[in-house]
mmCIF file of all heavy atoms in Angstrom:
data_model
loop_
_atom_site.group_PDB
_atom_site.id
_atom_site.type_symbol
_atom_site.label_atom_id
_atom_site.label_comp_id
_atom_site.label_asym_id
_atom_site.label_seq_id
_atom_site.Cartn_x
_atom_site.Cartn_y
_atom_site.Cartn_z
ATOM 1 N N ASP A 9 104.241 127.032 73.603
ATOM 2 C CA ASP A 9 104.516 125.918 72.696
ATOM 3 C C ASP A 9 104.169 124.583 73.343
ATOM 4 O O ASP A 9 103.680 123.666 72.676
ATOM 5 C CB ASP A 9 105.996 125.907 72.295
ATOM 6 C CG ASP A 9 106.405 127.144 71.515
ATOM 7 O OD1 ASP A 9 105.530 127.749 70.871
ATOM 8 O OD2 ASP A 9 107.595 127.501 71.570
ATOM 9 N N TYR A 10 104.402 124.462 74.643
ATOM 10 C CA TYR A 10 104.213 123.184 75.336
ATOM 11 C C TYR A 10 102.787 122.980 75.848
ATOM 12 O O TYR A 10 102.422 121.861 76.239
ATOM 13 C CB TYR A 10 105.200 123.064 76.494
ATOM 14 C CG TYR A 10 106.563 122.592 76.070
ATOM 15 C CD1 TYR A 10 107.506 123.480 75.556
ATOM 16 C CD2 TYR A 10 106.928 121.251 76.161
ATOM 17 C CE1 TYR A 10 108.766 123.055 75.146
ATOM 18 C CE2 TYR A 10 108.184 120.813 75.760
ATOM 19 C CZ TYR A 10 109.098 121.716 75.258
ATOM 20 O OH TYR A 10 110.338 121.290 74.847
ATOM 21 N N GLN A 11 101.978 124.016 75.842
ATOM 22 C CA GLN A 11 100.614 123.868 76.342
ATOM 23 C C GLN A 11 99.796 122.876 75.518
ATOM 24 O O GLN A 11 98.840 122.277 76.021
ATOM 25 C CB GLN A 11 99.918 125.230 76.373
ATOM 26 C CG GLN A 11 100.363 126.101 77.547
ATOM 27 C CD GLN A 11 99.689 127.458 77.570
ATOM 28 O OE1 GLN A 11 99.174 127.922 76.552
ATOM 29 N NE2 GLN A 11 99.694 128.100 78.728
ATOM 30 N N ILE A 12 100.195 122.670 74.280
ATOM 31 C CA ILE A 12 99.482 121.737 73.403
ATOM 32 C C ILE A 12 99.526 120.312 73.959
ATOM 33 O O ILE A 12 98.672 119.477 73.644
ATOM 34 C CB ILE A 12 100.078 121.777 71.974
ATOM 35 C CG1 ILE A 12 99.170 121.037 70.998
ATOM 36 C CG2 ILE A 12 101.486 121.197 71.954
ATOM 37 C CD1 ILE A 12 99.597 121.169 69.557
ATOM 38 N N LEU A 13 100.510 120.010 74.813
ATOM 39 C CA LEU A 13 100.651 118.666 75.357
ATOM 40 C C LEU A 13 99.610 118.354 76.427
ATOM 41 O O LEU A 13 99.358 117.191 76.742
ATOM 42 C CB LEU A 13 102.053 118.490 75.955
ATOM 43 C CG LEU A 13 103.227 118.617 74.989
ATOM 44 C CD1 LEU A 13 104.540 118.526 75.759
ATOM 45 C CD2 LEU A 13 103.166 117.541 73.919
ATOM 46 N N GLY A 14 99.033 119.389 77.021
ATOM 47 C CA GLY A 14 98.058 119.183 78.082
ATOM 48 C C GLY A 14 98.673 118.682 79.373
ATOM 49 O O GLY A 14 97.965 118.131 80.233
ATOM 50 N N ALA A 15 99.967 118.854 79.532
ATOM 51 C CA ALA A 15 100.678 118.398 80.729
ATOM 52 C C ALA A 15 100.801 119.533 81.748
ATOM 53 O O ALA A 15 100.605 120.710 81.418
ATOM 54 C CB ALA A 15 102.069 117.891 80.353
ATOM 55 N N LYS A 16 101.149 119.158 82.964
ATOM 56 C CA LYS A 16 101.447 120.163 83.986
ATOM 57 C C LYS A 16 102.779 120.810 83.640
ATOM 58 O O LYS A 16 103.770 120.121 83.382
ATOM 59 C CB LYS A 16 101.520 119.517 85.375
ATOM 60 C CG LYS A 16 100.224 118.937 85.861
ATOM 61 C CD LYS A 16 100.377 118.341 87.250
ATOM 62 C CE LYS A 16 101.246 117.087 87.220
ATOM 63 N NZ LYS A 16 101.328 116.423 88.561
ATOM 64 N N LEU A 17 102.820 122.139 83.616
ATOM 65 C CA LEU A 17 104.022 122.865 83.221
ATOM 66 C C LEU A 17 104.542 123.717 84.375
ATOM 67 O O LEU A 17 103.774 124.244 85.177
ATOM 68 C CB LEU A 17 103.739 123.770 82.016
ATOM 69 C CG LEU A 17 103.216 123.113 80.735
ATOM 70 C CD1 LEU A 17 102.964 124.173 79.668
ATOM 71 C CD2 LEU A 17 104.181 122.055 80.222
ATOM 72 N N LEU A 18 105.863 123.837 84.420
ATOM 73 C CA LEU A 18 106.517 124.746 85.361
ATOM 74 C C LEU A 18 107.587 125.494 84.579
ATOM 75 O O LEU A 18 108.473 124.873 83.986
ATOM 76 C CB LEU A 18 107.141 123.968 86.519
ATOM 77 C CG LEU A 18 107.908 124.793 87.561
ATOM 78 C CD1 LEU A 18 106.968 125.763 88.271
ATOM 79 C CD2 LEU A 18 108.593 123.882 88.571
ATOM 80 N N ALA A 19 107.497 126.819 84.537
ATOM 81 C CA ALA A 19 108.416 127.634 83.738
ATOM 82 C C ALA A 19 109.598 128.098 84.572
ATOM 83 O O ALA A 19 109.423 128.594 85.686
ATOM 84 C CB ALA A 19 107.677 128.832 83.159
ATOM 85 N N HIS A 20 110.795 127.928 84.027
ATOM 86 C CA HIS A 20 111.988 128.428 84.698
ATOM 87 C C HIS A 20 112.465 129.722 84.036
ATOM 88 O O HIS A 20 112.232 129.943 82.841
ATOM 89 C CB HIS A 20 113.100 127.372 84.708
ATOM 90 C CG HIS A 20 113.699 127.070 83.364
ATOM 91 N ND1 HIS A 20 114.627 127.891 82.736
ATOM 92 C CD2 HIS A 20 113.517 126.013 82.530
ATOM 93 C CE1 HIS A 20 114.979 127.365 81.588
ATOM 94 N NE2 HIS A 20 114.330 126.231 81.426
ATOM 95 N N PRO A 21 113.148 130.578 84.775
ATOM 96 C CA PRO A 21 113.614 131.853 84.216
ATOM 97 C C PRO A 21 114.650 131.655 83.116
ATOM 98 O O PRO A 21 115.336 130.628 83.058
ATOM 99 C CB PRO A 21 114.230 132.567 85.429
ATOM 100 C CG PRO A 21 113.723 131.849 86.625
ATOM 101 C CD PRO A 21 113.459 130.446 86.207
ATOM 102 N N ALA A 22 114.793 132.668 82.276
ATOM 103 C CA ALA A 22 115.715 132.587 81.141
ATOM 104 C C ALA A 22 117.156 132.430 81.585
ATOM 105 O O ALA A 22 117.966 131.812 80.884
ATOM 106 C CB ALA A 22 115.557 133.831 80.262
ATOM 107 N N GLU A 23 117.506 132.969 82.744
ATOM 108 C CA GLU A 23 118.905 132.926 83.172
ATOM 109 C C GLU A 23 119.339 131.536 83.646
ATOM 110 O O GLU A 23 120.536 131.294 83.865
ATOM 111 C CB GLU A 23 119.163 133.946 84.292
ATOM 112 C CG GLU A 23 118.381 133.729 85.560
ATOM 113 C CD GLU A 23 117.075 134.512 85.583
ATOM 114 O OE1 GLU A 23 116.597 134.900 84.491
ATOM 115 O OE2 GLU A 23 116.549 134.731 86.683
ATOM 116 N N VAL A 24 118.412 130.625 83.837
ATOM 117 C CA VAL A 24 118.761 129.262 84.248
ATOM 118 C C VAL A 24 119.172 128.473 83.014
ATOM 119 O O VAL A 24 118.340 128.105 82.195
ATOM 120 C CB VAL A 24 117.580 128.575 84.966
ATOM 121 C CG1 VAL A 24 117.953 127.150 85.346
ATOM 122 C CG2 VAL A 24 117.168 129.368 86.194
ATOM 123 N N GLN A 25 120.469 128.245 82.864
ATOM 124 C CA GLN A 25 121.017 127.592 81.675
ATOM 125 C C GLN A 25 121.956 126.453 82.083
ATOM 126 O O GLN A 25 122.765 126.610 82.994
ATOM 127 C CB GLN A 25 121.796 128.610 80.828
ATOM 128 C CG GLN A 25 120.969 129.768 80.282
ATOM 129 C CD GLN A 25 120.115 129.350 79.094
ATOM 130 O OE1 GLN A 25 120.425 128.380 78.408
ATOM 131 N NE2 GLN A 25 119.048 130.094 78.841
ATOM 132 N N GLY A 26 121.874 125.325 81.401
ATOM 133 C CA GLY A 26 122.773 124.216 81.672
ATOM 134 C C GLY A 26 122.191 123.221 82.655
ATOM 135 O O GLY A 26 121.254 123.521 83.410
ATOM 136 N N ILE A 27 122.750 122.018 82.658
ATOM 137 C CA ILE A 27 122.185 120.923 83.444
ATOM 138 C C ILE A 27 122.209 121.206 84.939
ATOM 139 O O ILE A 27 121.193 121.072 85.623
ATOM 140 C CB ILE A 27 122.934 119.609 83.133
ATOM 141 C CG1 ILE A 27 122.624 119.162 81.700
ATOM 142 C CG2 ILE A 27 122.537 118.518 84.116
ATOM 143 C CD1 ILE A 27 123.390 117.939 81.257
ATOM 144 N N ALA A 28 123.366 121.592 85.470
ATOM 145 C CA ALA A 28 123.464 121.780 86.923
ATOM 146 C C ALA A 28 122.559 122.908 87.427
ATOM 147 O O ALA A 28 121.778 122.698 88.374
ATOM 148 C CB ALA A 28 124.909 122.031 87.330
ATOM 149 N N PRO A 29 122.617 124.103 86.848
ATOM 150 C CA PRO A 29 121.725 125.162 87.330
ATOM 151 C C PRO A 29 120.243 124.791 87.205
ATOM 152 O O PRO A 29 119.451 125.111 88.102
ATOM 153 C CB PRO A 29 122.078 126.352 86.432
ATOM 154 C CG PRO A 29 123.487 126.103 86.013
ATOM 155 C CD PRO A 29 123.574 124.623 85.838
ATOM 156 N N LEU A 30 119.884 124.102 86.116
ATOM 157 C CA LEU A 30 118.478 123.742 85.931
ATOM 158 C C LEU A 30 118.026 122.714 86.971
ATOM 159 O O LEU A 30 116.943 122.845 87.561
ATOM 160 C CB LEU A 30 118.259 123.198 84.528
ATOM 161 C CG LEU A 30 116.826 122.747 84.195
ATOM 162 C CD1 LEU A 30 115.832 123.872 84.429
ATOM 163 C CD2 LEU A 30 116.733 122.225 82.771
ATOM 164 N N LYS A 31 118.838 121.706 87.229
ATOM 165 C CA LYS A 31 118.436 120.688 88.202
ATOM 166 C C LYS A 31 118.423 121.246 89.621
ATOM 167 O O LYS A 31 117.569 120.859 90.432
ATOM 168 C CB LYS A 31 119.339 119.458 88.086
ATOM 169 C CG LYS A 31 119.071 118.680 86.796
ATOM 170 C CD LYS A 31 119.789 117.341 86.745
ATOM 171 C CE LYS A 31 119.368 116.564 85.505
ATOM 172 N NZ LYS A 31 120.021 115.242 85.401
ATOM 173 N N ASN A 32 119.339 122.153 89.932
ATOM 174 C CA ASN A 32 119.269 122.815 91.233
ATOM 175 C C ASN A 32 117.985 123.630 91.354
ATOM 176 O O ASN A 32 117.341 123.655 92.413
ATOM 177 C CB ASN A 32 120.490 123.718 91.434
ATOM 178 C CG ASN A 32 121.732 122.948 91.841
ATOM 179 O OD1 ASN A 32 121.651 121.884 92.445
ATOM 180 N ND2 ASN A 32 122.894 123.486 91.501
ATOM 181 N N TRP A 33 117.611 124.290 90.275
ATOM 182 C CA TRP A 33 116.375 125.088 90.273
ATOM 183 C C TRP A 33 115.172 124.182 90.488
ATOM 184 O O TRP A 33 114.251 124.530 91.248
ATOM 185 C CB TRP A 33 116.250 125.860 88.960
ATOM 186 C CG TRP A 33 115.135 126.859 88.937
ATOM 187 C CD1 TRP A 33 115.177 128.163 89.321
ATOM 188 C CD2 TRP A 33 113.778 126.605 88.521
ATOM 189 N NE1 TRP A 33 113.940 128.746 89.170
ATOM 190 C CE2 TRP A 33 113.071 127.817 88.683
ATOM 191 C CE3 TRP A 33 113.108 125.496 88.031
ATOM 192 C CZ2 TRP A 33 111.719 127.931 88.366
ATOM 193 C CZ3 TRP A 33 111.753 125.602 87.721
ATOM 194 C CH2 TRP A 33 111.080 126.814 87.890
ATOM 195 N N ILE A 34 115.173 123.037 89.838
ATOM 196 C CA ILE A 34 114.075 122.079 90.013
ATOM 197 C C ILE A 34 113.986 121.630 91.468
ATOM 198 O O ILE A 34 112.905 121.602 92.067
ATOM 199 C CB ILE A 34 114.268 120.865 89.081
ATOM 200 C CG1 ILE A 34 114.022 121.279 87.618
ATOM 201 C CG2 ILE A 34 113.340 119.718 89.473
ATOM 202 C CD1 ILE A 34 114.417 120.223 86.610
ATOM 203 N N LEU A 35 115.120 121.290 92.068
ATOM 204 C CA LEU A 35 115.113 120.847 93.458
ATOM 205 C C LEU A 35 114.633 121.942 94.405
ATOM 206 O O LEU A 35 114.060 121.656 95.455
ATOM 207 C CB LEU A 35 116.516 120.381 93.866
ATOM 208 C CG LEU A 35 117.031 119.118 93.169
ATOM 209 C CD1 LEU A 35 118.457 118.810 93.606
ATOM 210 C CD2 LEU A 35 116.123 117.926 93.447
ATOM 211 N N ASP A 36 114.869 123.185 94.023
ATOM 212 C CA ASP A 36 114.435 124.316 94.848
ATOM 213 C C ASP A 36 112.946 124.620 94.693
ATOM 214 O O ASP A 36 112.360 125.272 95.560
ATOM 215 C CB ASP A 36 115.235 125.571 94.497
ATOM 216 C CG ASP A 36 116.688 125.499 94.949
ATOM 217 O OD1 ASP A 36 116.990 124.681 95.848
ATOM 218 O OD2 ASP A 36 117.519 126.238 94.393
ATOM 219 N N HIS A 37 112.351 124.172 93.579
ATOM 220 C CA HIS A 37 110.973 124.567 93.287
ATOM 221 C C HIS A 37 109.981 123.406 93.247
ATOM 222 O O HIS A 37 108.786 123.627 93.009
ATOM 223 C CB HIS A 37 110.924 125.330 91.960
ATOM 224 C CG HIS A 37 111.556 126.684 92.016
ATOM 225 N ND1 HIS A 37 112.920 126.878 91.916
ATOM 226 C CD2 HIS A 37 111.024 127.923 92.209
ATOM 227 C CE1 HIS A 37 113.194 128.168 92.019
ATOM 228 N NE2 HIS A 37 112.074 128.822 92.206
ATOM 229 N N VAL A 38 110.439 122.197 93.476
ATOM 230 C CA VAL A 38 109.548 121.035 93.594
ATOM 231 C C VAL A 38 109.620 120.561 95.038
ATOM 232 O O VAL A 38 110.690 120.252 95.546
ATOM 233 C CB VAL A 38 109.965 119.912 92.622
ATOM 234 C CG1 VAL A 38 109.102 118.679 92.845
ATOM 235 C CG2 VAL A 38 109.849 120.381 91.173
ATOM 236 N N GLU A 39 108.482 120.495 95.706
ATOM 237 C CA GLU A 39 108.461 120.261 97.145
ATOM 238 C C GLU A 39 108.606 118.791 97.537
ATOM 239 O O GLU A 39 109.012 118.491 98.657
ATOM 240 C CB GLU A 39 107.159 120.810 97.747
ATOM 241 C CG GLU A 39 107.047 122.336 97.638
ATOM 242 C CD GLU A 39 105.777 122.852 98.284
ATOM 243 O OE1 GLU A 39 104.948 122.014 98.725
ATOM 244 O OE2 GLU A 39 105.601 124.082 98.349
ATOM 245 N N ASP A 40 108.279 117.872 96.653
ATOM 246 C CA ASP A 40 108.324 116.453 97.001
ATOM 247 C C ASP A 40 109.728 116.047 97.444
ATOM 248 O O ASP A 40 110.719 116.472 96.856
ATOM 249 C CB ASP A 40 107.906 115.598 95.807
ATOM 250 C CG ASP A 40 106.485 115.903 95.358
ATOM 251 O OD1 ASP A 40 106.257 117.035 94.888
ATOM 252 O OD2 ASP A 40 105.635 115.021 95.463
ATOM 253 N N GLU A 41 109.804 115.188 98.451
ATOM 254 C CA GLU A 41 111.107 114.742 98.938
ATOM 255 C C GLU A 41 111.864 113.976 97.865
ATOM 256 O O GLU A 41 113.082 114.122 97.718
ATOM 257 C CB GLU A 41 110.947 113.848 100.172
ATOM 258 C CG GLU A 41 112.281 113.380 100.733
ATOM 259 C CD GLU A 41 112.163 112.215 101.690
ATOM 260 O OE1 GLU A 41 111.088 111.580 101.729
ATOM 261 O OE2 GLU A 41 113.152 111.922 102.381
ATOM 262 N N VAL A 42 111.149 113.140 97.107
ATOM 263 C CA VAL A 42 111.768 112.352 96.048
ATOM 264 C C VAL A 42 111.409 112.978 94.699
ATOM 265 O O VAL A 42 110.229 113.148 94.373
ATOM 266 C CB VAL A 42 111.302 110.886 96.073
ATOM 267 C CG1 VAL A 42 111.981 110.089 94.957
ATOM 268 C CG2 VAL A 42 111.594 110.261 97.419
ATOM 269 N N VAL A 43 112.440 113.322 93.940
ATOM 270 C CA VAL A 43 112.254 113.902 92.608
ATOM 271 C C VAL A 43 112.934 112.985 91.596
ATOM 272 O O VAL A 43 114.126 112.681 91.722
ATOM 273 C CB VAL A 43 112.856 115.322 92.522
ATOM 274 C CG1 VAL A 43 112.645 115.906 91.126
ATOM 275 C CG2 VAL A 43 112.229 116.232 93.574
ATOM 276 N N PHE A 44 112.179 112.536 90.612
ATOM 277 C CA PHE A 44 112.709 111.656 89.569
ATOM 278 C C PHE A 44 112.783 112.471 88.280
ATOM 279 O O PHE A 44 111.768 112.797 87.674
ATOM 280 C CB PHE A 44 111.812 110.439 89.394
ATOM 281 C CG PHE A 44 112.380 109.380 88.473
ATOM 282 C CD1 PHE A 44 113.618 108.813 88.723
ATOM 283 C CD2 PHE A 44 111.662 108.949 87.372
ATOM 284 C CE1 PHE A 44 114.137 107.827 87.881
ATOM 285 C CE2 PHE A 44 112.164 107.972 86.534
ATOM 286 C CZ PHE A 44 113.406 107.406 86.788
#
């Protein structure tokens, strides 16, 4: 659904639900020191 945007995409697993688990997952999977 999101490929139409032409943006860089990163898919998270279905079991990652809610703000805290999702943001922790992002911090674990984005290597940059600063994440906005």
